[in-house]
């Protein structure tokens, strides 16, 4: 299976560009900067999912849910990221490709009046042609298309027929919209094999059929084709300036370095593109500001939910077939559902911009369909508005509800339920800040804005046309203070003319302070957080256009150009084999005054208070290769603390670990070798070589042999100029903790992982027994 990301052990110490986040802005930047010949590193907080790996059961979906609140932060990086705020909550994706993995992929421009607002910088308002070229470039890469109703074997969908009926009754225009879904099979324009849509309806829990044009199907593989290096499970904490360069500080999910209170790792670069989305980018910059980076006081303000409202038309008179099928889609007895969103009622272009709205139908993905029968029935009784009040209609409704309860959600009332998603214009006055180090969203009373009453009336009218029961967003009630949920968070780092009005300029360059237009050279934000106001429609296309436009301008200012053609390519990356990972801490002393003797270096370092300690995460080669290769290689990432080298922690690169290799000077003995490059925050490098000596002399020496590392540090890559020597040791309590960090990585299933850990443990114990005990038997 194709994998785009690398192991964190492959991270280099310096790149031309570090990109934080892999949503639309980050993926576009990775592609365009790599195509311009720059070295690019992309750090993604979430995991990498490829088609076939997304949840398709409720249990699997629950395992990928992470819940964040204003006073509680999730401890995992699940694919489905839900943040509960005050007044408004946010659902977004967390994984390689960002929210493109879990959105409906609707590609639509805002109405032109949106860009007349003076919250947009003049550079955009007065040069819309540059933004239009951004739209064109994004369209060419994303390759959207409309649902091909009644052509190429695709029938007209029942949910679209129902939308047409609603539109006619409401006197509003109906149309099919562009969506990021492929309706043809074959090798796409960046060399990725895709399949045509099978109408399963599971777009928003992750397309397992390779039909959805998520970012892992276009911009990201294109970026990799041109040399971008992607690292997943890396949670960026903050960024800091270092001379003319930037430092990005991060921690790695799953490494369990926190058990050792290890410092953050970091990578250096000439430029940083923050693209973590409205919540993620704002949080990173808020932390950066706390760490001393001068930023605008507007940071975290002008947050908007893009006017998102969710509702249902339950138990309509005609079938809707809006419940996702998952693996049932190949069963002919189930009618097709279709992509999540295919058609809209376009209620924009009103005399007053803020009264306009985009009205869309949707589907419920298969992993959560099992919850819908009882949920919808309960909600219809509690808060539903029945638009048909006759006795005969009541009898029909009861019969259809019974049909659903008896035969399941693909029958009766549930299968006759239309899902609505509406986008409009809120006032964009939400705020985000850090509260005890955690991101907090605060916008009390947003749901009371007058526009949301108009949205409710529109959904009620659409439901009435179908003879159904209208169910509003369960949170939007007087009892619950009219809370909202958005899937389109925008703002927080909004663009503006200067720092007194916003956080970034028209290309996302971050302002350096509270006033004026001076920016931090090399620091940019490119994602939905820079959008200064609600768009009133799906935002992905505009986010993409803004990013395309910004990348072009940034590169031009560097006297570089990027490519926009699609030469023949085929992405043939492979899945790494199952490996074993563990994290180790060792502590000791070393001295720059001692060049020859390890023990003297340790003692001198102790006398002069020159400690050295490291926390390293070691990942073996795939377990089969590891066992069969005489060098038994593993690869390392992590940090070193050595005040004699730097006042701040160092990060490592080019880390190579060899377990139980023959001693060149005495083949009867074995060594565990540690080779790595040590990198300081200001760009200096040192070179570390250490070994543990497994000589097999006596079983009583076993602890010493496996826990004492003889260490030499060099000033040159060829390791000819010795800087100092010393010894590091593992303390018993740290060894006990180390054992709890051992696990399999890259496993395809639980049994595969257990076998890998068993193989590693067997290899280790066999070598120990052969070295220390075999001669006694």
């Amino acid at each position: 299976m194709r994998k785009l990301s690398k192991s964190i052990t492959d991270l280099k110490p310096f790149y031309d560009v570090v990109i934080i986040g892999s949503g639309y802005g980050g993926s576009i930047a990775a592609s365009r900067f790599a195509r311009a010949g720059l070295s690019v590193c992309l750090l993604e907080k979430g995991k990498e999912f490829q088609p076939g790996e997304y949840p398709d059961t409720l249990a699997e979906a629950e395992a990928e849910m992470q819940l964040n609140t204003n006073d509680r932060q999730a401890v995992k990086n699940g694919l489905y990221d839900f943040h509960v705020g005050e007044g408004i909550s946010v659902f977004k994706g967390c994984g390689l490709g960002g929210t493109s993995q879990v959105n409906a992929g609707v590609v639509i421009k805002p109405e032109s009046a949106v860009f007349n607002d003076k919250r947009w910088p003049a550079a955009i308002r007065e040069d819309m042609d540059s933004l239009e070229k951004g739209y064109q470039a994004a369209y060419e890469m994303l390759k959207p298309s409309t649902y091909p109703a009644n052509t190429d074997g695709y029938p007209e969908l029942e949910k679209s027929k129902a939308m047409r009926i609603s539109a006619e009754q409401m006197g509003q225009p109906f149309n099919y919209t562009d969506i990021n879904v492929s309706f043809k099979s074959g090798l796409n324009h960046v060399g990725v094999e895709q399949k045509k849509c099978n109408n399963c309806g599971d777009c928003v829990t992750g397309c397992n059929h390779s039909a959805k044009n998520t970012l892992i199907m276009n911009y990201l593989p294109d970026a990799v084709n041109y040399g971008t290096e992607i690292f997943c499970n890396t949670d960026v904490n903050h960024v800091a300036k270092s001379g003319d360069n930037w430092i990005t500080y991060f921690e790695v999910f799953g490494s369990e370095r926190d058990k050792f209170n290890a410092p953050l790792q970091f990578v250096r670069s000439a430029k940083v593109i923050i693209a973590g989305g409205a919540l993620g980018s704002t949080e990173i910059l808020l932390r950066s500001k706390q760490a001393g980076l001068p930023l605008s006081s507007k940071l975290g303000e002008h947050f908007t939910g893009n006017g998102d409202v969710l509702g249902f038309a339950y138990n309509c008179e005609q079938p809707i077939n809006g419940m996702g099928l998952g693996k049932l889609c190949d069963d002919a007895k189930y009618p097709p559902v279709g992509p999540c969103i295919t058609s809209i009622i376009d209620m924009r272009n009103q005399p007053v911009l803020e009264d306009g709205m985009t009205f869309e139908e949707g589907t419920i993905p298969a992993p959560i369909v099992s919850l819908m029968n009882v949920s919808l029935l309960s909600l219809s009784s509690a808060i539903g508005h029945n638009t048909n009040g006759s006795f005969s209609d009541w009898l029909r409704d009861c019969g259809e509800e019974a049909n659903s309860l008896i035969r399941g959600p693909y029958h009766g009332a549930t299968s006759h339920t239309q899902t609505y998603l509406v986008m409009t214009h809120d006032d964009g006055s939400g705020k985000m800040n850090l509260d005890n180090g955690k991101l907090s969203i605060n916008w009390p009373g947003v749901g009371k804005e007058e526009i949301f009453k108009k949205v409710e009336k529109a959904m009620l009218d659409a439901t009435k046309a179908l003879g159904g029961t209208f169910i509003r967003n369960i949170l939007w009630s007087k009892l619950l203070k009219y809370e909202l949920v958005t899937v389109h968070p925008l703002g927080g780092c909004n663009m503006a003319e200067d720092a007194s009005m916003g956080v970034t300029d028209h290309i996302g360059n971050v302002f350096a302070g509270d006033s004026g237009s001076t920016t931090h050279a090399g620091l940019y934000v490119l994602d939905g957080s820079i959008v200064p106001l609600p768009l009133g429609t799906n935002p992905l296309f505009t986010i993409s256009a803004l990013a395309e436009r910004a990348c072009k301008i940034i590169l031009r200012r560097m006297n570089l150009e990027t490519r926009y053609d699609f030469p023949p390519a085929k992405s043939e990356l492979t899945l790494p084999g199952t490996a074993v990972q563990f994290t180790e801490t060792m502590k000791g002393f070393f001295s720059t005054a001692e060049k020859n003797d390890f023990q003297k270096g340790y003692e001198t370092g102790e006398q002069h208070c020159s400690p050295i300690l490291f926390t390293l995460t070691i990942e073996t080669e795939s377990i089969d290769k590891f066992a069969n290769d005489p060098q038994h290689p593993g690869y390392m990432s992590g940090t070193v603390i050595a005040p004699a080298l730097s006042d701040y922690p160092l990060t490592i690169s080019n880390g190579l670990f060899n377990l139980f290799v023959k001693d060149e000077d005495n083949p009867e003995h074995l060594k565990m070798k540690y080779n790595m490059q040590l990198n300081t925050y200001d760009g200096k490098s040192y070179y570390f070589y250490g070994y543990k000596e497994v000589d097999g002399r006596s079983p009583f020496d076993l602890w010493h042999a496996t826990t004492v590392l003889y260490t030499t540090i060099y000033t040159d890559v060829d390791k000819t100029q010795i800087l100092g020597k010393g010894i590091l040791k593992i303390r018993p309590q740290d060894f006990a903790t180390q054992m709890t960090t051992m696990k399999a990585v890259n496993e395809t299933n639980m049994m595969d992982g257990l076998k890998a850990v068993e193989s590693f443990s067997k290899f280790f114990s066999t070598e120990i027994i052969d070295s220390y005990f075999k001669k006694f038997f």
Side-chain angles (χ1 to χ4, degrees):
M1 180 174 289
R2 188 171 55 92
K3 284 289 183 180
L4 296 170
S5 59
K6 290 174 169 282
S7 167
I8 195 65
T9 58
D10 292 325
L11 185 72
K12 296 182 177 67
F14 184 89
Y15 294 85
D16 294 326
V17 184
V18 164
I19 298 169
I20 304 166
S22 62
Y24 290 97
S27 296
I28 287 169
S31 168
R32 298 311 179 195
F33 285 121
R35 279 172 165 253
L38 299 173
S39 61
V40 178
C41 161
L42 187 149
L43 304 176
E44 165 56 46
K45 177 181 178 180
K47 301 184 283 280
E48 178 175 357
F49 289 84
Q50 290 289 337
E53 298 178 328
Y54 297 101
D56 56 18
T57 67
L58 179 59
E60 290 174 353
E62 288 177 338
E64 285 299 328
M65 177 64 75
Q66 57 166 306
L67 179 65
N68 298 277
T69 68
N70 283 358
D71 54 10
R72 176 185 176 277
Q73 191 166 0
V75 295
K76 63 179 183 179
N77 58 340
L79 177 61
Y80 313 120
D81 186 352
F82 196 80
H83 191 116
V84 179
E86 176 69 26
I88 189 168
S89 298
V90 175
F91 174 80
K92 64 188 184 69
C94 178
L96 187 62
T99 298
S100 80
Q101 301 284 48
V102 297
N103 68 7
V106 176
V107 176
I108 186 170
K109 290 182 185 178
E111 56 189 300
S112 59
V114 167
F115 295 102
N116 295 332
D117 194 297
K118 290 189 177 180
R119 282 175 284 183
W120 293 100
I124 290 179
R125 282 185 286 112
E126 297 172 4
D127 183 17
M128 285 299 293
D129 183 60
S130 65
L131 185 61
E132 180 59 35
K133 290 178 180 177
Y135 279 118
Q136 292 171 4
Y139 197 92
E140 285 300 310
M141 182 65 86
L142 294 171
K143 300 292 183 187
S145 57
T146 57
Y147 179 78
N150 296 320
T151 59
D152 298 327
Y154 285 95
E156 186 175 7
L157 302 170
E158 295 296 339
K159 61 174 184 162
S160 299
K161 293 179 185 177
M163 280 292 274
R164 192 186 298 275
I165 293 171
S166 293
E168 289 173 355
Q169 290 292 316
M170 297 165 70
Q172 299 290 343
F174 164 91
N175 59 70
Y176 286 96
T177 183
D178 277 332
I179 52 177
N180 283 327
V181 176
S182 176
F183 297 100
K184 295 181 180 179
S185 297
L187 202 65
N188 74 10
H189 54 298
V190 299
V192 178
E193 190 72 35
Q194 289 194 254
K195 297 178 182 177
K196 65 180 183 179
C197 178
N198 63 356
N199 277 345
C200 72
D202 290 349
C203 301
V204 298
T205 47
C207 177
N208 278 315
H209 193 62
S210 302
K212 186 178 172 187
N213 298 346
T214 64
L215 293 165
I216 64 168
M217 295 292 172
N218 37 68
Y219 278 108
L220 286 169
D222 182 73
V224 171
N225 288 345
Y226 284 89
T228 293
E229 296 180 354
I230 297 174
F231 302 93
C232 291
N233 298 301
T234 54
D235 187 14
V236 170
N237 183 277
H238 68 284
V239 298
K241 192 81 169 124
S242 176
D244 292 333
N245 296 310
W246 289 91
I247 307 175
T248 299
Y249 290 94
F250 64 89
E251 53 189 344
V252 180
F253 278 102
S255 67
E256 301 187 75
R257 288 169 51 84
D258 57 305
K259 292 183 176 181
F260 301 100
N261 294 316
L264 296 169
Q265 295 174 247
F266 64 83
V267 60
R268 300 175 66 251
S269 61
K271 296 188 186 309
V272 170
I273 311 293
I274 303 177
L279 275 61
S281 293
T282 302
E283 183 175 7
I284 289 167
L285 282 184
L286 284 168
R287 286 209 186 97
S288 302
K289 188 174 185 178
Q290 279 190 344
L293 186 67
L295 296 170
S296 169
S297 60
K298 298 298 181 182
L299 177 61
E301 297 187 5
H302 303 296
F303 174 74
T304 169
N306 200 41
D308 281 9
V309 182
L310 180 69
F312 299 95
Y314 174 65
N315 203 356
C316 299
E317 293 178 351
Q318 63 265 37
I320 302 295
N321 301 332
M323 299 292 133
L325 296 170
K327 293 179 179 179
L328 297 176
C329 67
D330 294 328
D331 191 332
K333 71 179 181 182
Y334 296 101
V337 174
C340 180
I341 292 173
T342 57
S343 59
I344 70 171
I345 301 173
D346 196 344
M347 300 174 66
R348 299 177 295 166
N349 298 298
Q350 302 296 320
V352 177
L353 172 68
E354 288 73 18
D355 288 341
M357 60 188 80
T358 305
F359 197 122
E360 300 172 347
E361 37 83 354
T363 63
I364 303 299
I368 62 172
V369 161
S370 61
L371 301 175
M372 299 309 294
N373 264 350
V374 174
S375 298
L376 289 171
L377 177 60
S378 300
L379 290 171
S380 68
S381 300
I383 61 173
H385 182 139
N386 193 335
T387 61
N388 270 338
S390 68
F391 180 71
S392 60
D393 287 322
W394 178 78
L395 285 177
R396 184 201 71 83
D397 291 347
C398 291
E400 293 295 341
E401 288 173 344
N403 193 10
S404 284
L405 290 173
I406 295 169
R407 300 179 64 196
Y410 301 110
H411 306 275
T414 305
S415 70
H416 285 230
T417 296
Q418 182 81 289
T419 302
Y420 295 134
L421 175 63
V422 178
M423 285 140 285
T424 185
H425 301 269
D426 54 45
D427 69 10
S429 60
K431 293 184 179 181
M432 293 180 281
N433 52 50
L434 289 182
D435 187 5
N436 294 320
K438 301 175 182 65
L439 185 72
S440 174
I441 304 173
N442 296 283
W443 200 357
V446 55
K448 296 179 181 179
E449 292 182 20
E450 194 65 27
I451 184 61
F452 295 114
K453 294 180 182 178
K454 297 179 181 179
V455 171
E456 181 175 26
K457 182 182 183 304
M459 288 195 289
L460 182 60
D461 290 344
T463 303
K464 186 180 295 185
L466 303 177
T469 297
F470 171 57
I471 301 176
R472 68 167 68 91
N473 169 16
I474 186 174
L475 298 177
W476 199 78
S477 65
K478 184 176 181 180
L479 180 65
L480 296 174
K481 301 179 182 179
Y482 298 98
E483 297 265 335
L484 296 176
V485 177
T486 180
V487 295
H488 298 131
L490 300 171
C493 305
N494 67 292
M495 58 171 60
E497 297 293 352
D498 58 49
S500 68
M501 296 183 283
V503 182
T504 68
D505 69 5
H506 66 103
I507 56 171
N509 201 179
V510 178
F511 291 127
D514 278 332
S515 61
S517 58
T518 301
T519 57
H520 287 290
L523 180 62
Y524 301 86
V525 180
L526 291 179
D527 55 28
S529 71
I530 66 174
V531 177
L533 73 170
L535 300 175
T537 196
N538 306 71
L540 82 82
F541 198 23
T542 298
I543 294 169
S544 300
L546 289 168
E548 285 278 14
R549 175 185 178 276
C551 288
K552 187 173 185 178
I553 294 172
I554 294 167
L555 287 168
R556 186 178 299 155
R557 291 178 180 180
M558 298 171 66
N559 295 317
L560 294 172
E561 294 288 338
T562 193
R563 297 176 57 177
Y564 295 93
D565 60 335
F566 297 111
K570 187 167 185 180
S571 181
E572 294 183 332
L573 305 178
T574 57
L575 177 66
T578 305
V580 171
Q581 173 186 291
F582 59 91
T583 296
E584 177 180 65
T585 280
M586 300 190 73
K587 302 171 182 177
F589 298 93
F590 97 112
S591 173
T592 57
E594 179 56 49
K595 314 293 186 186
N596 299 303
D597 189 280
F598 296 110
Q599 186 62 37
K600 287 183 180 179
Y602 180 91
E603 294 170 354
T604 303
E606 187 174 24
Q607 291 169 6
H608 293 88
C609 195
S610 179
I612 183 170
L613 64 96
F614 64 54
T615 302
L616 302 178
T617 299
I618 299 171
E619 181 180 318
T620 68
E621 181 64 87
S622 63
I623 198 66
D624 293 335
K625 292 182 181 179
F626 171 82
N628 295 324
D629 188 331
Q631 295 300 308
H632 309 303
Y635 306 98
M636 305 186 296
S637 68
T639 52
V640 175
I641 296 176
L645 304 181
S646 174
D647 293 336
Y648 300 95
L650 301 90
T651 194
I652 80 155
S653 57
N654 301 317
L656 176 63
F657 170 74
N658 300 101
L659 181 62
F660 297 137
V661 294
K662 291 187 181 298
D663 187 337
E664 300 89 347
D665 300 322
N666 188 344
E668 297 297 317
H669 295 174
L670 299 176
K671 284 184 175 179
M672 301 185 206
K673 296 182 178 180
Y674 295 67
N675 282 281
M676 52 188 166
Q677 179 177 325
L678 313 183
N679 309 295
T680 70
Y681 76 99
D682 55 356
K684 296 177 184 175
S685 294
Y686 301 95
Y687 302 88
F688 180 110
Y689 170 66
Y691 65 89
K692 298 174 184 176
E693 193 168 38
V694 183
D695 56 24
R697 284 180 295 184
S698 167
F700 297 105
D701 293 333
L702 179 57
W703 174 258
H704 182 276
T706 56
T707 62
V708 175
L709 187 71
Y710 300 98
T711 300
T712 306
I713 295 179
Y714 301 86
T715 59
D716 64 315
V717 67
D718 294 325
K719 297 179 181 173
T720 60
Q721 303 297 316
I722 296 176
L723 178 65
K725 285 185 177 285
I727 296 174
L728 288 87
K729 302 176 182 181
I730 301 178
R731 298 185 303 175
Q733 59 265 44
D734 288 333
F735 180 75
T737 302
Q738 177 181 324
M739 290 298 97
T740 69
T741 70
M742 185 175 294
K743 62 182 178 181
V745 293
N746 306 323
E747 71 273 29
T748 55
N749 53 57
M750 182 181 293
M751 187 57 65
D752 185 39
L754 291 173
K755 287 181 179 179
V757 173
E758 179 187 27
S759 296
F760 180 84
S761 302
K762 184 177 180 180
F763 170 78
F764 189 94
S765 59
T766 299
E767 293 293 336
I768 291 296
I769 291 171
D770 287 349
S771 295
Y772 285 94
F773 299 99
K774 194 172 183 179
K775 57 189 174 185
F776 295 107
F777 298 98

